[in-house]
């Protein structure tokens, strides 16, 4: 714990930095230490991991709040600072309402059933997982740890000690509710209320199971293998049927809702199923053209840059984008060319540019939008 650097220091931001400032700082640091740009550099690889760890905490409002209050102890699952209640992912507490409330409309489960001993579905549970940009584009597998309720292995859900069984409640005759009559100024009113003897279950257990204390279910920590589909986007949610809390009285288990968080990439930007990349080139590459190696999700590809390419020109690499979620085909990669104008020229370099300017017949001070050919246009026409 003591040898860990402060996460704000790792990203180089102030403690009061906004979400956008944290994201920009992460992208800058991730690009600086990205393994593709630092092959074989172990120190850069460790810093890249450190940057990702810091961003995973500071980009999550709940984890950030815990970190601000408790430091690393508040977000380390092995430290033991957090509770073990439901709605945790990998030992981290998080507010499920902001992720799932608008999708699922509050709590799960229904009211009193006509048959209290009939099968009932188990409750749904939730978790979240953080993956890389590439993993979201191509899909991946993860194993998540969840807290859930399973059928008691000792009594197999009956709630009664092994060798015994529950009996029909004599108070409500197994209905789970009793009729109550009350005298009022308007006469006698008959109502129904849950049976106090059996707590609305319709059965009473004289000798309860010691493991589950008569509930028929026990809390457990479970590992669930998750197949994250290719093409999933940041903060999307998908469902794993039957991986939630176990049912009651033989009812089906609930589902596991998985919210996916995608870390931003060092130099790729997602736009639907397309991927944007800004490719910086030199002044001479733009004028003369060049054979470039463009990074894509599938690795570098060769690209012939035409002579006279203007800054801001966009080229499309067909089918090099992101897999369509639950469908076929992929988006494109869109490459925006950025021409880097040289700075801090030597005297000799300035002289050469002036000679080139004269050779091309370029006149300085021409009004913008005069209709005259630009520098690169003149160069292309001279060739």
């Amino acid at each position: 714990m003591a040898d860990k650097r402060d996460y704000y220091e790792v990203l180089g931001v102030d403690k009061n930095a906004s979400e956008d400032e944290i994201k920009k700082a992460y992208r800058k640091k991730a690009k600086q230490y990205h393994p593709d740009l630092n092959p074989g550099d172990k120190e850069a690889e460790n810093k890249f991991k450190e940057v990702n760890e810091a961003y995973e905490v500071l980009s999550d409002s709940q984890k950030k709040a815990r970190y601000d209050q408790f430091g690393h102890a508040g977000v380390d699952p092995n430290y033991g600072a957090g509770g073990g209640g439901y709605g945790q992912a990998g030992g981290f507490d998080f507010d499920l309402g902001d992720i799932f409330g608008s999708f699922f409309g509050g709590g799960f489960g229904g009211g009193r059933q006509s048959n209290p001993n009939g099968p009932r579905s188990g409750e749904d549970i939730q978790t979240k997982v953080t993956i890389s940009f590439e993993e979201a584009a191509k899909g991946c597998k993860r194993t998540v740890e969840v807290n859930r309720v399973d059928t008691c292995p000792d009594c197999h859900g009956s709630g009664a000690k092994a060798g015994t069984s529950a009996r029909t409640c004599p108070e409500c005759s197994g209905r789970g509710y009793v009729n109550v009559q009350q005298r009022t100024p308007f006469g006698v009113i008959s109502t129904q209320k849950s049976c106090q003897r059996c707590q609305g279950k319709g059965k009473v257990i004289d000798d309860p199971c010691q493991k589950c204390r008569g509930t028929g279910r026990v809390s457990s920590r479970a590992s669930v293998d998750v197949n994250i589909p290719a093409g999933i986007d940041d903060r999307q949610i998908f469902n794993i049927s039957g991986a939630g809390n176990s049912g009651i009285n033989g009812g089906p288990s609930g589902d596991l809702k998985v919210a996916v968080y995608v870390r931003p990439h060092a130099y790729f930007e997602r736009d639907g199923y397309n991927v944007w990349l800004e490719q910086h080139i030199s002044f001479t590459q733009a004028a003369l053209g060049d054979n470039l190696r463009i990074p894509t999700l599938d690795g570098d590809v060769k690209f012939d840059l035409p002579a006279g390419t203007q800054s801001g020109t966009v080229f499309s690499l067909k089918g090099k984008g992101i897999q369509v979620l639950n469908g076929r085909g992929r988006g494109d990669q869109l490459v925006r060319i950025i021409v880097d104008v040289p700075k801090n020229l030597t005297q000799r370099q300035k002289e050469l540019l002036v000679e080139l300017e004269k050779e091309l017949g370029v006149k300085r001070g021409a009004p913008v939008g005069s209709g005259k050919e630009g520098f690169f246009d003149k160069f292309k026409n001279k060739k």
Side-chain angles (χ1 to χ4, degrees), residues 201-269:
K201 297 178 181 178
K203 290 184 177 181
V204 292
I205 300 173
D206 296 320
D207 196 358
C209 171
Q210 293 300 307
K211 188 173 186 64
C212 66
R213 297 183 181 180
T215 64
R217 301 195 297 174
V218 292
S219 300
S220 67
R221 187 81 169 160
S223 297
V224 180
D225 293 329
V226 176
N227 290 316
I228 301 174
I232 199 161
D233 206 349
D234 184 42
R235 298 177 189 261
Q236 279 190 309
I237 298 170
F238 68 97
N239 186 68
I240 301 178
S241 180
N245 290 346
S246 64
I248 299 174
N249 299 328
S253 295
D255 298 336
L256 171 62
K257 313 289 184 181
V258 183
V260 178
Y261 283 68
V262 181
R263 290 191 298 268
H265 198 274
Y267 39 85
F268 290 136
E269 285 276 3

Side-chain angles (χ1 to χ4, degrees), residues 16-35:
N16 297 319
S18 66
E19 183 178 343
D20 187 55
E21 289 172 334
I22 290 173
K23 184 176 182 179
K24 286 181 179 179
Y26 165 76
R27 289 177 61 82
K28 181 179 179 181
K29 293 287 186 180
K31 184 175 183 179
Q32 180 181 355
Y33 299 118
H34 199 285

Side-chain angles (χ1 to χ4, degrees), residues 60 62-63 66 83-100 108 123-129 145-149 219-221 245 256-257 259:
D60 185 305
Q62 299 300 314
K63 291 183 183 178
R66 288 171 63 86
Y86 299 112
Q88 293 183 321
F92 296 112
D93 288 328
F94 61 93
D95 184 5
L96 300 174
D98 61 345
I99 303 177
F100 300 100
F108 303 97
E123 302 85 0
D124 292 343
I125 60 174
Q126 308 88 21
T127 191
K128 68 176 181 178
V129 63
E145 298 288 328
V146 296
N147 290 320
R148 69 182 182 191
V149 178
S219 300
S220 67
R221 187 81 169 160
N245 290 346
L256 171 62
K257 313 289 184 181

Side-chain angles (χ1 to χ4, degrees), residues 167-337:
R167 60 188 177 89
T168 301
C169 176
E171 189 74 24
C172 64
S173 301
R175 293 179 308 223
Y177 61 91
V178 292
N179 295 319
V180 178
Q181 291 185 336
Q182 290 181 306
R183 290 186 177 275
T184 72
F186 304 100
V188 178
I189 297 177
S190 295
T191 59
Q192 293 179 348
K193 69 175 185 179
S194 179
C195 177
Q196 295 299 309
R197 176 77 179 272
C198 65
Q199 303 298 314
K201 297 178 181 178
K203 290 184 177 181
V204 292
I205 300 173
D206 296 320
D207 196 358
C209 171
Q210 293 300 307
K211 188 173 186 64
C212 66
R213 297 183 181 180
T215 64
R217 301 195 297 174
V218 292
S219 300
S220 67
R221 187 81 169 160
S223 297
V224 180
D225 293 329
V226 176
N227 290 316
I228 301 174
I232 199 161
D233 206 349
D234 184 42
R235 298 177 189 261
Q236 279 190 309
I237 298 170
F238 68 97
N239 186 68
I240 301 178
S241 180
N245 290 346
S246 64
I248 299 174
N249 299 328
S253 295
D255 298 336
L256 171 62
K257 313 289 184 181
V258 183
V260 178
Y261 283 68
V262 181
R263 290 191 298 268
H265 198 274
Y267 39 85
F268 290 136
E269 285 276 3
R270 180 167 180 166
D271 181 11
Y273 293 112
N274 293 331
V275 173
W276 280 91
L277 170 73
E278 287 191 349
Q279 181 69 38
H280 288 254
I281 62 173
S282 69
F283 180 82
T284 53
Q285 284 176 307
L288 303 176
D290 198 1
N291 296 318
L292 304 179
R293 296 189 68 85
I294 304 291
T296 74
L297 292 171
D298 302 316
D300 292 352
V301 298
K302 294 181 179 179
F303 178 75
D304 292 328
L305 180 73
T309 296
Q310 303 297 304
S311 187
T313 300
V314 176
F315 296 102
S316 179
L317 303 179
K318 297 295 183 183
K320 291 297 182 181
I322 294 172
Q323 171 73 41
V324 176
L325 182 64
N326 299 323
R328 295 183 179 181
R330 294 172 59 174
D332 302 328
Q333 179 166 314
L334 304 174
V335 183
R336 180 182 287 109
I337 299 298

